[in-house]
Amino acid sequence: MILCDIGNSFLHFYNHGKVWREKRDNLSLKDSKEIIIFISVNEELTKSLLYSHASCFDLTPFLSLDTNYKGLGVDRIAACKAIKDGVIVDAGSAITIDVMQQGIHLGGYILPGITQYKKILGSIPVLDCEINLNVNVHTFPQNTRDAVSFGILKSILLMIENTSKNKKIYFTGGDGKFLSRFFQNCIYDELLVFKGMQKVIAEEITSKGIML
């Protein structure tokens, strides 16, 4: 069994403790005996997966969450399923922040990812510079590059800090490990979405005897 989280840019795979990502136009051949269980937020990338592999199973209809949020992405639902209490920060192209309390999703919001912030500010020529990821976020910047970097990082960090209060923070996604270094009561887990998928498979598929 191979798990696949199809995002807006890449297909992320998990199998036997290994995580990797692939582009739609360069999908590797998988063992034909393996079933790929997937969730997706991108229809075109989903078509590419289904075309490349004969045995696929869409887990999406089996994912649900106790929440009032309308239109919550399936990848966010999967990540939230893995956590009973805490703040989930999935830092990729966009940064999604969701709050779980005793298994209930209280809500969440979306920010541009670090790269997207750079693109937005880069549309202004004088601000088109590389981000200094080592900028000191505790002192006022003294040059434009640091000012841009400070503005991007501080806005993200303050939003997470304001939301988390005393809750534990669970970081995942491409920039999750980097952002986690600014917080103490946190964990970085690149498998968070896949752990949520595994939980749903155990509770909704395997336990009910549904044939894959």
Side-chain angles (χ1 to χ4, degrees):
M1 179 176 68
I2 300 173
L3 300 184
C4 179
D5 171 22
I6 303 175
N8 284 310
S9 303
F10 296 94
L11 295 91
H12 297 82
F13 293 93
Y14 173 74
N15 184 237
H16 300 305
K18 179 184 176 183
V19 178
W20 72 99
R21 70 180 189 180
E22 299 180 13
K23 293 183 177 180
R24 63 175 294 185
D25 55 355
N26 193 29
L27 290 176
S28 64
L29 291 177
K30 313 296 188 297
D31 187 340
S32 59
K33 296 179 182 178
E34 292 268 24
I35 184 170
I36 296 180
I37 300 179
F38 71 91
I39 59 174
S40 175
V41 297
N42 188 297
E43 185 176 346
E44 292 304 312
L45 267 63
T46 301
K47 290 178 181 177
S48 297
L49 175 67
L50 297 177
Y51 181 78
S52 72
H53 195 79
S55 184
C56 295
F57 182 87
D58 186 0
L59 191 64
T60 303
F62 299 90
L63 271 81
S64 63
L65 196 63
D66 189 350
T67 182
N68 290 322
Y69 191 111
K70 305 300 181 186
L72 192 66
V74 66
D75 50 345
R76 291 170 69 185
I77 293 176
C80 288
K81 293 289 286 187
I83 301 300
K84 186 175 181 180
D85 286 284
V87 177
I88 298 100
V89 179
D90 191 344
S93 300
I95 299 173
T96 59
I97 302 173
D98 292 284
V99 182
M100 292 293 292
Q101 182 172 296
Q102 296 182 342
I104 298 172
H105 179 253
L106 300 185
Y109 54 93
I110 303 171
L111 300 171
I114 293 174
T115 301
Q116 294 303 314
Y117 264 116
K118 181 185 180 302
K119 287 181 179 178
I120 293 168
L121 291 175
S123 64
I124 305 171
V126 72
L127 302 181
D128 187 13
C129 52
E130 289 301 315
I131 299 174
N132 176 13
L133 295 178
N134 294 312
V135 67
N136 189 332
V137 295
H138 302 294
T139 61
F140 290 122
Q142 300 300 317
N143 60 72
T144 300
R145 182 192 179 203
D146 284 356
V148 169
S149 305
F150 182 99
I152 291 172
L153 295 180
K154 195 73 169 182
S155 62
I156 295 170
L157 298 176
L158 286 176
M159 287 291 284
I160 296 172
E161 182 182 327
N162 182 260
T163 302
S164 62
K165 306 297 184 185
N166 295 319
K167 292 180 178 292
K168 190 161 190 175
I169 309 170
Y170 296 84
F171 286 93
T172 192
D175 288 325
K177 191 170 186 178
F178 166 72
L179 291 175
S180 70
R181 77 182 195 181
F182 295 95
F183 297 88
Q184 291 187 336
N185 188 26
C186 73
I187 244 181
Y188 169 70
D189 189 350
E190 67 174 341
L191 301 181
L192 208 58
V193 170
F194 295 120
K195 286 180 178 179
M197 292 176 67
Q198 288 175 326
K199 184 177 180 180
V200 172
I201 291 169
E203 294 177 351
E204 302 295 331
I205 306 296
T206 306
S207 67
K208 295 180 179 178
I210 296 174
M211 297 297 294
L212 299 176

